[in-house]
Amino acid sequence: MQIPARWLFLPVAGLLVASSQAAPKPSEEDIEHIREELGVNGFTAPSIEVILQELDSLKPIPFDKVWRDVPDATPQDRARLALSTGAVIADGFLAVASEKQSRIEPVGRALLRLAKGLGVSDRVSKHSRSILEKAARQQWGDIKQELVRTQAEVETAMLGLKDEEIAHLVALGGWLRALEITSTVAADDYTPERARRLIQPELLDYFIDRVSTLNPNFKKTKLGQQLEKNLQEVKRITSKPVDTPIEKDEVKQIRELARDLNKRISSGDE
């Protein structure tokens, strides 16, 4: 069965982070109640396995065109820290799907650093070490399973502390990096069908709505303002009548809008 296009590269909202390492682990009943309260479900938080299946379906991926050096800076503000975490998670998906052993280590170390900044390094460290060890042996199937376990650990932390805004920002950061990857692949080997994968109206509306509810102080920053502006522009480009494809030039526009935001997120510039 073909996976719906809306899942394409959607970062797992469950790979989200909380603000304290000392938080007690909630019961399964509490987790389910919080999951329902925050709207974390199969649409907003598909499994990592689904994401990896979609990446596999896009092979061959022009890796050199879509890879970026993982940023080595740790943002000081939590909003940018969360966005950066999501973007690095997307980088990890790309490295695994492309089976690039040398790129796994910087991703794993960046995730550890960012997790420490967000207060969940204790939940991430054992999985990051395992990912690095298995990458050295090129055990790609095992790495995928370790990513799934990482998802479960960090989702528990997020749900236990109800850090909803950080959850949305991590998901958005991953989706934006994924959108840059997707649009680059679609532009590199353009077909109307590949371009059609960029049309995700429900998901795009979801993120636009989440951005509108963010902390007013963050929304006043240049990054916050540019997030709203670029997301609305992506919506304008992709708001097409049924069976009307996105043209190649429009795919390139989407790529540049996503790339612009990702550069702003990683640079730390206001």
Side-chain angles (χ1 to χ4, degrees):
M1 182 177 70
Q2 184 174 358
I3 300 168
R6 66 176 181 272
W7 298 130
L8 184 64
F9 288 117
L10 175 62
V12 178
L15 277 180
L16 305 174
V17 289
S19 58
S20 172
Q21 291 180 316
K25 188 174 182 178
S27 67
E28 290 186 11
E29 183 178 350
D30 289 338
I31 288 294
E32 288 307 313
H33 176 73
I34 297 167
R35 181 188 297 273
E36 180 179 356
E37 181 180 321
L38 296 182
V40 178
N41 51 54
F43 176 72
T44 59
S47 74
I48 292 177
E49 290 175 303
V50 172
I51 298 170
L52 290 168
Q53 288 169 14
E54 283 288 4
L55 281 167
D56 287 341
S57 73
L58 289 174
K59 290 181 177 178
I61 299 170
F63 185 81
D64 291 337
K65 291 186 177 181
V66 295
W67 180 255
R68 63 168 190 170
D69 290 333
V70 177
D72 56 8
T74 303
Q76 297 303 305
D77 62 286
R78 285 181 62 77
R80 196 184 297 272
L81 189 60
L83 288 164
S84 297
T85 301
V88 171
I89 290 170
D91 290 328
F93 297 158
L94 174 61
V96 171
S98 303
E99 298 187 357
K100 296 292 185 179
Q101 178 184 351
S102 63
R103 309 306 170 92
I104 292 292
E105 182 173 353
V107 167
R109 299 198 184 286
L111 283 177
L112 273 176
R113 186 178 67 253
L114 294 168
K116 183 177 180 180
L118 286 164
V120 292
S121 60
D122 59 334
R123 294 182 183 267
V124 173
S125 60
K126 62 180 179 181
H127 298 296
S128 294
R129 285 196 300 270
S130 182
I131 288 170
L132 294 176
E133 292 169 0
K134 289 169 181 175
R137 303 186 186 99
Q138 300 187 33
Q139 297 173 328
W140 302 110
D142 289 343
I143 294 172
K144 292 178 182 181
Q145 291 306 309
E146 204 63 57
L147 287 169
V148 173
R149 296 186 189 102
T150 303
Q151 171 198 0
E153 289 281 0
V154 189
E155 180 183 275
T156 298
M158 183 276 291
L159 294 175
L161 289 171
K162 301 186 182 181
D163 204 336
E164 185 178 4
E165 182 162 294
I166 291 298
H168 294 318
L169 287 172
V170 175
L172 177 57
W175 182 77
L176 284 170
R177 175 67 181 122
L179 182 63
E180 180 184 353
I181 294 168
T182 311
S183 53
T184 301
V185 172
D188 183 68
D189 184 16
Y190 174 82
T191 67
E193 179 56 36
R194 281 188 164 223
R196 194 171 285 115
R197 288 177 176 269
L198 301 177
I199 301 177
Q200 303 175 358
E202 293 175 329
L203 183 56
L204 185 53
D205 285 343
Y206 172 80
F207 281 122
I208 289 174
D209 182 65
R210 297 285 75 76
V211 169
S212 72
T213 65
L214 293 175
N215 186 299
N217 290 331
F218 174 71
K219 291 176 65 177
K220 291 177 183 178
T221 66
K222 290 181 180 178
L223 176 58
Q225 293 172 4
Q226 202 66 40
L227 270 173
E228 291 192 289
K229 180 180 178 181
N230 286 23
L231 288 175
Q232 290 290 353
E233 184 63 10
V234 172
K235 181 177 180 179
R236 184 193 67 77
I237 295 170
T238 58
S239 294
K240 297 279 189 177
V242 177
D243 296 329
T244 301
I246 302 177
E247 301 295 335
K248 185 172 183 177
D249 285 345
E250 293 175 319
V251 173
K252 291 179 178 180
Q253 290 177 41
I254 294 170
R255 178 189 63 197
E256 293 309 310
L257 289 165
R259 182 175 292 169
D260 171 62
L261 289 175
N262 290 325
K263 286 182 177 179
R264 290 174 183 269
I265 291 167
S266 63
S267 69
D269 294 338
E270 281 299 330

